[in-house]
Amino acid sequence: MSPPILRIHSDDKLPERADAVVIGGGIVGVSTAYFLARRGLSVALLEKGYVGGEQSSRNWGWCRQQNRDARDLPLATLALRLWEELSRDIGRDLGFRRCGLYYATDKPQQLSTWEAWGQQVGRPGGVRTRMLDAAEAASVMKGSGTRQWLGGVHSMDDGTAEPALAAPGIAEGARALGVTVHQDCAARGLDITHGAVTGVITERGLIKTSAVVCSGGAWASAFCRRHGISLPQASVRASVLRTRPIEGLPAAISAPECSLTRRLGGGYNLAISGKAKLEITPQGLRYAREFMPMFMKRIKAVEFGIGRSFFRGPEALGSWRFDEVSPFEQIRVLDPAPDPRAIRNLLGCFQNLYPALKDVAVDQAWASYIDSTPDGVPVISPVDAIKGFVLAAGFSGHGFGTGPASGLLAASLVTGDQPPVDPTPFRFSRFTDGSKVTVGAF
């Protein structure tokens, strides 16, 4: 059920010491490791499964500024530049293309929301975005039958990258700079002395270090909880399918029924924006109060249920000693089964959208857990309770596109360099300092 991804080899020998250790080999973790190595640090990258195996290979692949929360927009803008620079500097095709993104709708409220975003956030933030009239939207959606499109929006500089290539490719670029990459090597916890990080305890032994970045995706809250750190995090399960190659459609488009993204091989990833299943879990119950504003805002888009994740996985109960097998080793790759009903619904939505393509062949379907924070904004921040510990998690479904910039920001927080964007919106302390929780609009 896992989507295809480039597999890379691991470094066999675990270093005794490193200037920094990055936990988690997703797009944010590999980018963090890369930029730390660019600054001359010795770095060990730990991944309990394989690089890019979870959300970083299961997403749409969109790299966008359009419809970003204002707090995320600086990261998104920086990331677009970094995607191009990484492809050039690493010497690998990460699948990044500035193909432009299109949105089309027949819903007046949605059109008004996009127009307001362009006026209030996009154009003041330097985004090249323009509204489409009904005729232009119909042209973009050519082949969608007799549908009466009201309009849409086009972000010219945005694009897509290839989830199957991006994280492994950046990891190889980091390795070329001296980073050691350790797959099938779970971090069980931190070695802490007098309130400061002095090492990372892995299933293969201790790495001495004074700096750790946890980019553990859906597993980050569980890792933090083992050390008495409360990171409010909840995950929803989303299902995606990929078609066989299709000709004549835009490279990336979002319509009310579903969103389409062309992959390098010509097939399309299909997903429904905002639709997902929230499984009741012990961690979810623990943070229910913090997430209530988000639940109320997006309740129509979420289906509730109870599944195996209540008893097993990143949001289940449990603790562990550092000398015993941890939950991170019990589930090397979080690979949930796609929801058959969601896949049938998704395929039906696509066929309704493009009646002439009703016989399109499905190549594969998969699912993933998308981790979120109560406000939909990531945490990229030092954790004051543990000196030397930096969190980079809770990307709320937006982490792939902003991954390179998020990694650069995390690296700057480790080294003390000037941050590339204002880190204030991403501070961990916002959940405890009385700040008002404002749920992102998108």
Side-chain angles (χ1 to χ4, degrees):
M1 289 178 286
S2 294
I5 187 171
L6 175 68
R7 298 292 291 268
I8 62 175
H9 75 274
S10 294
D11 293 291
D12 295 328
K13 186 178 180 182
L14 204 68
E16 293 183 5
R17 181 181 298 276
D19 294 328
V21 174
V22 178
I23 301 171
I27 192 72
V28 176
V30 298
S31 297
T32 301
Y34 175 83
F35 287 114
L36 285 171
R38 282 273 296 264
R39 285 160 167 72
L41 276 67
S42 62
V43 182
L45 174 66
L46 304 177
E47 168 53 50
K48 64 182 178 60
Y50 54 86
V51 166
E54 295 192 355
Q55 181 59 14
S56 290
S57 60
R58 298 164 187 263
N59 60 84
W60 299 8
W62 284 32
C63 305
R64 63 177 171 88
Q65 301 168 100
Q66 182 67 42
N67 292 345
R68 285 285 187 195
D69 186 273
R71 292 163 288 185
D72 264 343
L73 183 57
L75 275 180
T77 300
L78 173 61
L80 285 172
R81 174 172 62 83
L82 293 176
W83 276 109
E84 290 181 321
E85 292 179 2
L86 283 167
S87 297
R88 180 198 66 210
D89 295 344
I90 293 173
R92 286 176 170 267
D93 184 6
L94 305 177
F96 178 69
R97 307 286 189 271
R98 285 187 185 260
C99 57
L101 305 180
Y102 288 96
Y103 295 71
T105 189
D106 56 359
K107 301 180 184 302
Q109 182 59 48
Q110 197 168 45
L111 203 61
S112 299
T113 299
W114 294 340
E115 189 165 18
W117 182 90
Q119 293 174 351
Q120 300 167 14
V121 179
R123 284 184 284 277
V127 181
R128 290 205 309 145
T129 178
R130 71 181 187 89
M131 298 300 296
L132 304 177
D133 61 26
E136 290 172 315
S139 177
V140 170
M141 298 302 298
K142 183 179 179 180
S144 58
T146 59
R147 187 78 166 269
Q148 297 298 310
W149 299 100
L150 289 178
V153 66
H154 179 209
S155 55
M156 292 78 85
D157 296 326
D158 291 348
T160 64
E162 193 66 27
L165 301 176
I170 297 172
E172 290 287 40
R175 195 202 307 275
L177 297 175
V179 174
T180 57
V181 179
H182 308 278
Q183 299 173 103
D184 288 316
C185 183
R188 292 176 173 172
L190 304 174
D191 189 43
I192 300 172
T193 305
H194 303 305
V197 169
T198 51
V200 175
I201 303 162
T202 82
E203 61 180 291
R204 300 182 193 171
L206 175 70
I207 305 176
K208 296 179 181 178
T209 187
S210 59
V212 174
V213 177
C214 177
S215 55
W219 299 88
S221 185
F223 186 89
C224 289
R225 185 172 65 245
R226 178 61 180 78
H227 294 283
I229 303 298
S230 179
L231 170 63
Q233 188 178 36
S235 297
V236 295
R237 178 162 61 105
S239 298
V240 179
L241 67 83
R242 186 179 66 244
T243 72
R244 298 286 176 86
I246 301 173
E247 295 183 357
L249 300 182
I253 188 164
S254 180
E257 287 91 344
C258 62
S259 296
L260 296 78
T261 312
R262 186 168 62 221
R263 303 272 61 101
L264 291 183
Y268 277 78
N269 282 9
L270 307 183
I272 299 179
S273 178
K275 291 285 187 180
K277 184 172 184 178
L278 177 66
E279 297 177 350
I280 307 302
T281 65
Q283 180 174 291
L285 294 173
R286 179 186 184 187
Y287 294 120
R289 182 175 61 84
E290 287 87 341
F291 277 91
M292 192 58 64
M294 178 177 286
F295 292 159
M296 297 306 297
K297 185 170 186 175
R298 301 178 181 173
I299 193 168
K300 292 182 179 180
V302 176
E303 177 185 345
F304 293 85
I306 296 179
R308 285 183 294 178
S309 58
F310 189 95
F311 306 99
R312 191 168 182 264
E315 297 193 14
L317 290 176
S319 187
W320 61 94
R321 300 194 312 268
F322 295 143
D323 61 351
E324 68 181 9
V325 173
S326 69
F328 315 115
E329 295 148 77
Q330 294 169 352
I331 302 179
R332 292 288 181 182
V333 177
L334 196 57
D335 184 23
D339 185 331
R341 186 159 61 95
I343 293 299
R344 288 194 301 270
N345 182 48
L346 179 55
L347 186 58
C349 288
F350 175 75
Q351 292 168 339
N352 289 335
L353 187 62
Y354 289 103
L357 298 174
K358 61 182 177 62
D359 295 324
V360 65
V362 176
D363 190 45
Q364 191 180 10
W366 62 83
S368 66
Y369 284 103
I370 302 171
D371 66 299
S372 179
T373 61
D375 55 9
V377 177
V379 174
I380 312 172
S381 169
V383 177
D384 292 339
I386 305 176
K387 184 180 179 181
F389 184 49
V390 172
L391 264 176
F395 285 88
S396 309
H398 304 151
F400 182 81
T402 63
S406 300
L408 180 58
L409 175 57
S412 74
L413 296 174
V414 171
T415 61
D417 294 334
Q418 179 68 30
V421 300
D422 180 8
T424 305
F426 314 112
R427 69 194 186 283
F428 177 62
S429 62
R430 71 184 189 268
F431 299 123
T432 57
D433 63 8
S435 298
K436 180 181 178 182
V437 174
T438 302
V439 180
F442 297 95

